[in-house]
Amino acid sequence: MTGPAVVMDDVAQAVDDIIARIGKSLVVGLPLGLGKPVELVNALYARATQDSSLQLKILTALSLEKPTGGSAIESAFLKPFVGRVFGGVPQLDVIADLRANRLPANVQVCEFFFRPGAFMDNAHAQQHYISSNYTHAARDVFNHGCNVVAQMVCQRETPEGTRYSLSCNPDTPPELVDMLRASGRPHVVVGVVNQNLPFMFNDAEVGPEAFHIVVDHARYTTPLFSNPKLGVTTPDYLIGLHASTLIKDGGTLQLGIGALGDAIVYAAQLRHARNADYLRVLGDCGILANSGELIKDLGGTEPFAQGLYGATEMFVDGYLHLLRSGILKRRVHDFWALQQLVNEGRCDPDHVTPQVLDDLASLGVRVIRGADFKVLQHHGLFNDETGYDEGHIIAPDGTRVIANVADPHARQVMADQCLGQRLRNGIVLHGGFFLGPLDFYEGLRRMPEDQARQICMTGVSKINQLDRNPRLYRQQRVHARFMNTGIMATLSGAVCSDGLDDLRVVSGVGGQYNFVAMAHELPTGRSILMVRAVRDKGGKAGPSSNIVFNYGHTTIPRHLRDIVITEYGIADLRSRTDAEVIKALLNIADSRFQDGLMAAAKHAGKLEPGYQIPDAFRHNLPERLERQLAGFKRQQLFPDFPFGTDLKDEEVMLGKVLKAVKKRADTTPKWQLAWAALRPGASNIPPSARPYLDWLALAHPRTLQDRVARALVVQALKDHP
């Protein structure tokens, strides 16, 4: 930018200014997830609906919507929860109209990542989806002609003036802005201030010159969209337990959102704080017996003495729990040789000695350039009293020596006067964007500044690949465990995570491919894809296997196969033959489907005819998992909501009731349902059930369908006292 932003207090005025600068063909790039400036987007969309000559194209990802029920009963159930948790949160009008299929002809919405399952049957969304790796998102948005970049920000006043934070989304917008500047394309960068955003420092902090327009008024400091916690099931916990054993102390961790991420964090905390219980669980569940050698080679079961460092595109609240537990504590530094010395134990971060100069020279670092000096001083290797000028180090007493640690005189001056006492400004987590429950945002807002500065929200190009600085990132990301979720795994080791074989998109590639490919490039890195072995959506079809012989859509190709985990175990697929891969995956498949999968592999000539699955893996059934954890749950381990929930107790209970209702409705003949609702005495409602029927608007049913629903709810309430 050529100067500080124009500050205004109304989004309608900002729309006027944008059109005056750019014209009536607006291609707007928005951050994914939380960072969308909803009021500005709504004002742009309103202008487009009023003026058909204005062409509006919105490019973004992960558009957030308040939860709604799939039926009148579910909507009634959710109403108090939505009002309590999402009250005052602004909603995107353009997404509501997209969902209702009423977008005007002059408006397009293109996303590169959907909220999972949100737009499966929406033609506009499916047709305008952009399939893109996260690291290519800025490029692809630019290539669509983007000329407006807008996002939600927060600000604070400092002695140096007003400073802004990109907070939850420094992931792709800065890269996109750099492309626009370099291209010379006319464009506008807009920030809308919401002071409920946590102020994040480091790469997320910018000055007023980063924007053309800043909209700042208290009316835009609205509640943040939250992602409430879902319950963690027994299969989720078993996957989390297996995954936790592959985490190397002193290593690097990448996690995703949802129940599986929570399960991993809970298991890691159990490993760290209640190690005897953890080992007992691993033993009783057969994890040590089935995967002991792999755990010994790749991970561990001991508490985290050195701790972990996080390198993750999505900063989820689980990392905050790991930080508070003393697990997320390994700090990294932005100079490759210094980081290597720390990794090798040759530089104690808490006690810097002159030996570090000899060790730097032994790694080939001799001449210290100005940019390197700045980084090394930032991290405390050189004290604040030392200066740098045109290839020379200026010692605190004014002595000027060549900036070369291989020069004996210069090295002696540096050793005597210039070194700091300890390293500083280390980073425990690099993240691209964040989204989570309300207490996560509150925890970030209340975090002391010195601790908040240990978290670096930054560009996705810095996190999801090695390209920007391979030598540094290889040193920072030692023993990396990149943990992501898949929908299905084929017997070839390919994984489907984002779409179906009928070309419909479930979510998006996001950064999954990036992390898998990076794991293969890092000497000690591993990709871990977690797939629930079985899914059961109810209905007459019953359960089906997520380990399949083959599938017509692939997110991660077979040649990048690595580690796959289901609730039944760990399959190490790296460097294995096709037959070995098939055998490993059969071992972690649900036993109800193992024979069919094995027969298909034999028919294709990929397994020897006489092969049989070992007896140890022939009892992979959900009821066995429930038995394995039942005793531990009675000891208050493995709760439904390990990190709390925004749901009240009665909402949790009624949610379980409605699941039971749906399952029974899907599996019971309609005539039986009707008879249950119409039989004599069906209208005699127990007093204890009446408040719940009032809640669900079923107290006075008008239709046969309502009467069936009431009968099912009453029965389910009896079954779930």
Side-chain angles (χ1 to χ4, degrees):
M1 305 305 172
T2 57
V6 175
V7 180
M8 51 189 68
D9 64 4
D10 189 78
V11 292
Q13 184 183 357
V15 172
D16 291 336
D17 198 347
I18 291 169
I19 294 173
R21 293 171 186 253
I22 299 299
K24 287 192 171 184
S25 181
L26 303 179
V27 183
V28 183
L30 302 174
L32 84 167
L34 181 62
K36 295 177 179 62
V38 176
E39 296 88 352
L40 176 64
V41 179
N42 286 347
L44 285 165
Y45 180 57
R47 190 69 58 91
T49 60
Q50 297 160 10
D51 181 359
S52 61
S53 68
L54 192 156
Q55 298 296 312
L56 177 62
K57 187 175 188 178
I58 294 173
L59 298 133
T60 188
L62 197 60
S63 293
L64 304 172
E65 303 171 276
K66 294 179 183 179
T68 57
S71 65
I73 295 175
E74 290 178 355
S75 296
F77 166 67
L78 287 170
K79 186 175 180 180
F81 169 76
V82 171
R84 186 174 69 250
V85 176
F86 296 94
V89 177
Q91 298 293 287
L92 287 163
D93 295 337
V94 67
I95 298 300
D97 282 359
L98 167 64
R99 181 167 297 287
N101 295 307
R102 56 174 181 249
L103 285 184
N106 59 325
V107 176
Q108 290 183 20
V109 178
C110 302
E111 298 203 50
F112 67 86
F113 196 101
F114 295 143
R115 183 171 56 83
F119 292 103
M120 293 284 287
D121 299 312
N122 187 286
H124 185 286
Q126 290 290 327
Q127 291 166 21
H128 290 82
Y129 169 76
I130 301 169
S131 186
S132 180
N133 282 335
Y134 199 4
T135 49
H136 299 154
R139 177 205 68 188
D140 293 344
V141 170
F142 175 84
N143 286 344
H144 273 261
C146 177
N147 53 22
V148 179
V149 181
Q151 79 173 87
M152 188 164 60
V153 300
C154 57
Q155 64 94 5
R156 70 173 191 158
E157 298 299 327
T158 73
E160 293 75 34
T162 302
R163 301 290 291 171
Y164 294 93
S165 175
L166 305 182
S167 188
C168 55
N169 281 99
D171 49 340
T172 57
E175 183 182 357
L176 178 57
V177 171
D178 287 345
M179 291 178 180
L180 289 167
R181 289 176 182 169
S183 72
R185 179 189 300 170
H187 65 278
V188 179
V189 182
V190 188
V192 179
V193 174
N194 185 334
Q195 289 298 85
N196 283 326
L197 278 176
F199 196 100
M200 308 306 289
F201 299 93
N202 301 306
D203 294 353
E205 184 176 349
V206 297
E209 69 281 357
F211 309 97
H212 293 104
I213 301 169
V214 170
V215 182
D216 190 357
H217 191 280
R219 75 173 75 90
Y220 305 124
T221 292
T222 53
L224 300 179
F225 190 99
S226 68
N227 193 71
K229 287 292 189 186
L230 300 176
V232 180
T233 66
T234 293
D236 297 333
Y237 271 126
L238 265 297
I239 291 174
L241 282 164
H242 282 97
S244 70
T245 66
L246 301 183
I247 302 173
K248 186 83 167 178
D249 187 22
T252 304
L253 183 64
Q254 188 255 339
L255 284 176
I257 198 168
L260 290 181
D262 288 348
I264 294 168
V265 171
Y266 181 85
Q269 289 180 318
L270 192 65
R271 168 180 165 180
H272 185 66
R274 300 178 61 173
N275 193 252
D277 287 334
Y278 178 73
L279 292 174
R280 192 158 50 90
V281 173
L282 297 184
D284 287 4
C285 292
I287 296 173
L288 294 177
N290 292 334
S291 302
E293 287 301 313
L294 185 66
I295 293 168
K296 180 180 178 181
D297 291 342
L298 296 185
T301 59
E302 69 287 346
F304 296 97
Q306 300 174 62
L308 303 176
Y309 152 69
T312 181
E313 61 182 18
M314 188 173 190
F315 173 21
V316 296
D317 66 302
Y319 285 104
L320 210 54
H321 294 293
L322 293 175
L323 184 67
R324 291 167 177 162
S325 301
I327 296 172
L328 188 71
K329 64 181 181 180
R330 183 173 77 85
R331 295 176 174 85
V332 300
H333 310 87
D334 283 334
F335 190 78
W336 72 271
L338 180 62
Q339 187 63 50
Q340 181 173 338
L341 294 179
V342 171
N343 292 347
E344 295 174 354
R346 297 161 68 185
C347 178
D348 182 351
D350 294 321
H351 182 59
V352 175
T353 68
Q355 180 62 37
V356 72
L357 300 172
D358 292 329
D359 290 336
L360 286 172
S362 73
L363 295 179
V365 178
R366 293 175 173 80
V367 175
I368 299 175
R369 301 171 299 167
D372 294 339
F373 174 83
K374 185 177 180 180
V375 172
L376 291 170
Q377 188 173 59
H378 171 75
H379 285 303
L381 187 72
F382 292 109
N383 58 45
D384 292 337
E385 293 73 32
T386 297
Y388 186 94
D389 180 55
E390 296 184 346
H392 290 80
I393 298 288
I394 313 301
D397 70 354
T399 301
R400 182 184 180 95
V401 296
I402 189 169
N404 188 334
V405 296
D407 180 87
H409 175 61
R411 186 167 67 247
Q412 189 61 53
V413 171
M414 293 181 209
D416 290 344
Q417 299 188 50
C418 302
L419 293 180
Q421 294 183 344
R422 61 180 59 87
L423 299 184
R424 63 187 182 188
N425 295 326
I427 298 296
V428 298
L429 181 139
H430 283 98
F433 73 100
F434 63 71
L435 177 66
L438 294 175
D439 60 358
F440 175 46
Y441 305 145
E442 184 66 17
L444 291 176
R445 282 193 294 265
R446 292 179 175 273
M447 186 176 287
E449 182 174 330
D450 60 340
Q451 190 175 52
R453 287 186 178 276
Q454 296 176 34
I455 297 169
C456 181
M457 301 301 296
T458 188
V460 70
S461 63
K462 187 174 181 177
I463 298 166
N464 287 36
Q465 58 188 8
L466 304 176
D467 301 39
R468 184 186 284 189
N469 196 334
R471 190 162 56 174
L472 172 64
Y473 298 157
R474 283 191 171 93
Q475 294 301 328
Q476 291 180 338
R477 299 169 193 177
V478 293
H479 301 296
R481 301 293 179 261
F482 300 129
M483 299 189 178
N484 292 283
T485 304
I487 300 172
M488 288 177 275
T490 73
L491 289 186
S492 71
V495 174
C496 165
S497 303
D498 69 310
L500 304 181
D501 61 0
D502 62 7
L503 299 186
R504 285 185 297 166
V505 181
V506 176
S507 53
V509 178
Q512 184 171 116
Y513 180 89
N514 300 137
F515 281 105
V516 172
M518 182 165 48
H520 285 272
E521 296 298 318
L522 291 168
T524 57
R526 298 304 298 261
S527 162
I528 298 170
L529 293 177
M530 301 171 291
V531 177
R532 293 176 178 90
V534 67
R535 66 187 180 277
D536 188 354
K537 295 184 177 180
K540 297 179 180 179
S544 56
S545 178
N546 286 328
I547 305 296
V548 297
F549 176 69
N550 199 15
Y551 194 68
H553 176 78
T554 294
T555 311
I556 304 303
R558 61 184 292 175
H559 63 270
L560 290 179
R561 57 197 184 194
D562 201 343
I563 291 174
V564 173
I565 294 178
T566 74
E567 57 267 40
Y568 299 118
I570 306 170
D572 182 8
L573 311 182
R574 182 180 283 194
S575 304
R576 306 300 185 195
T577 66
D578 278 4
E580 290 171 334
V581 167
I582 292 170
K583 292 172 183 178
L585 288 169
L586 288 174
N587 287 348
I588 64 170
D590 189 288
S591 290
R592 290 168 288 181
F593 308 100
Q594 285 175 328
D595 288 336
L597 290 167
M598 182 169 60
K602 289 179 179 180
H603 180 74
K606 302 298 286 187
L607 275 183
E608 60 268 30
Y611 178 75
Q612 293 298 319
I613 298 169
D615 288 342
F617 305 105
R618 274 300 202 172
H619 307 285
N620 293 348
L621 297 169
E623 50 267 31
R624 180 174 67 85
L625 302 183
E626 295 293 347
R627 289 197 302 271
Q628 287 174 335
L629 285 195
F632 297 108
K633 288 185 176 183
R634 288 193 292 270
Q635 299 171 34
Q636 307 305 310
L637 294 175
F638 306 108
D640 290 344
F641 297 95
F643 303 112
T645 177
D646 291 317
L647 292 166
K648 294 182 177 180
D649 289 345
E650 58 268 27
E651 290 171 333
V652 172
M653 185 277 292
L654 192 54
K656 293 178 179 178
V657 164
L658 292 182
K659 284 185 179 179
V661 165
K662 187 176 187 305
K663 183 175 182 179
R664 186 175 178 192
D666 288 341
T667 56
T668 304
K670 287 184 171 54
W671 70 267
Q672 290 185 12
L673 295 174
W675 168 247
L678 297 172
R679 74 181 189 277
S683 60
N684 297 328
I685 306 301
S688 60
R690 292 190 181 278
Y692 298 105
L693 295 178
D694 288 337
W695 183 346
L696 300 175
L698 291 175
H700 304 286
R702 302 183 194 178
T703 66
L704 176 59
Q705 185 177 7
D706 288 345
R707 294 181 71 173
V708 168
R710 183 180 68 175
L712 288 173
V713 169
V714 170
Q715 183 59 49
L717 285 168
K718 292 178 181 177
D719 296 339
H720 294 77

